[in-house]
Amino acid sequence: MEKFRSNGKLFLIGEYVVMDGAKAFALPTKYGQCLFVSQLSEQSNVIYWTAKKHDDSLWFEVKFELNSLEILETSHQKLSESLQSILRQAKQLNPSFFESNLAYNCETKLEYPQEWGLGSSSTLIDLISKWIEIDPFELNKMTFNTSGYDIACAHNNQPILYSNQPIVEVEKLELNWNFIDDLYFVYLNQKQDTQAVVGNHYKNKPKDLELINQLSNLVIEATKVQTLHDFEAIMDEYQDKLAVFMNQPKVKDLYFSDYTGSVKSLGAWGGDFVLVTKREGFEDYFKQKGYNIIVPFREMIL
């Protein structure tokens, strides 16, 4: 049996403008997804695929014909068609892989609750790319066509500074922050369709090159901060500038306007997790508002 593993992701700062080549500061998570592959002795030209959730319950299962990737049996048509589409694009990048007279048993396993939004799609792209031996960034372009930061997180084991124009560049970062224990992730349980949000709130607006450069510079500054005060100032300034451009309220203004620490959206605004900076009684504050999943930075980030 072969085992492949890919990290999940959280987008610290650089959201939206990363689509225009700005720098992005992203965080691979300790939680990810695994793919287990066994080549079967039978010569039946099939792929048996089982996807499991973090608690070992069945997500869906499907049986493909190997050469055509037609769905032969499935427990969930829509999810199976999504996987089929990815595999068919992968076939374009390495067609010989699918021309053998072999059979495979594949099983994916999430390491976190699916609703956390840590990258079930990006980790799947990366896992399939590792198995079939293709470029994950190329497969991503042919399928979800995200900025690619999530793919970079999938196979890097430390925080990264990322850009994708004119070419993909990934710089690994060593965080020597003395305030990591003051950083927490709070789960909002408000899933966002990143592609839809980017399209509706950012891509449809005219480009502001000056703003893009300003925000990209703030991202770089964020990688070099030494104090919690400076970190909070950068997070707040970034969100203030972007909120004006997008004419969209910040998550802090919407839900936590009386909180004295920083609250930073991660990725598409209004999405799954926010980063908060610690203040006295902060856990009680968020729990009283109904947000009970609070994860320390050290427990979440590689």
Side-chain angles (χ1 to χ4, degrees), residues 71-139:
I71 297 172
L72 304 176
E73 300 174 15
T74 180
S75 66
H76 195 296
Q77 188 68 29
K78 186 175 181 180
L79 291 174
S80 297
E81 288 175 355
S82 178
L83 175 59
Q84 178 191 50
S85 177
I86 296 171
L87 289 172
R88 283 182 166 168
Q89 298 300 327
K91 182 179 179 179
Q92 291 190 40
L93 296 173
N94 186 4
S96 62
F97 182 89
F98 297 88
E99 293 172 356
S100 60
N101 186 32
L102 298 174
Y104 295 96
N105 185 67
C106 300
E107 180 179 305
T108 56
K109 171 73 184 299
L110 280 179
E111 298 174 344
Y112 59 89
Q114 179 194 359
E115 59 270 16
W116 280 16
L118 298 182
S120 57
S121 298
S122 56
T123 52
L124 180 61
I125 291 291
D126 194 58
L127 290 168
I128 289 174
S129 298
K130 289 174 179 174
W131 173 38
I132 299 175
E133 298 181 344
I134 56 178
D135 185 335
F137 291 100
E138 287 299 316
L139 184 58

Side-chain angles (χ1 to χ4, degrees), residues 189-200:
N189 193 23
Q190 296 185 33
K191 184 66 178 175
Q192 290 286 344
D193 182 336
T194 301
Q195 290 178 313
V197 173
V198 170
N200 293 334

Side-chain angles (χ1 to χ4, degrees), residues 115-178:
E115 59 270 16
W116 280 16
L118 298 182
S120 57
S121 298
S122 56
T123 52
L124 180 61
I125 291 291
D126 194 58
L127 290 168
I128 289 174
S129 298
K130 289 174 179 174
W131 173 38
I132 299 175
E133 298 181 344
I134 56 178
D135 185 335
F137 291 100
E138 287 299 316
L139 184 58
N140 176 61
K141 286 181 183 177
M142 297 169 69
T143 52
F144 299 108
N145 196 29
T146 65
S147 68
Y149 89 91
D150 45 2
I151 303 299
C153 284
H155 57 270
N156 279 285
N157 293 325
Q158 61 194 84
I160 60 171
L161 188 63
Y162 174 85
S163 61
N164 64 3
Q165 293 182 24
I167 60 172
V168 169
E169 293 184 350
V170 180
E171 178 186 345
K172 296 180 181 180
L173 302 173
E174 294 285 350
L175 299 185
N176 298 312
W177 294 342
N178 62 6

Side-chain angles (χ1 to χ4, degrees), residues 217-261:
N217 288 334
L218 285 173
V219 172
I220 295 171
E221 287 181 36
T223 69
K224 301 175 181 179
V225 293
Q226 299 295 318
T227 69
L228 180 62
H229 177 269
D230 290 344
F231 178 81
E232 291 179 324
I234 290 172
M235 297 298 117
D236 293 345
E237 182 179 355
Y238 185 96
Q239 292 181 106
D240 288 343
K241 290 179 178 295
L242 192 58
V244 171
F245 175 74
M246 295 174 60
N247 192 28
Q248 186 178 4
K250 299 176 295 182
V251 68
K252 182 175 181 179
D253 293 340
L254 285 174
Y255 305 117
F256 312 111
S257 59
D258 59 341
Y259 186 65
T260 57

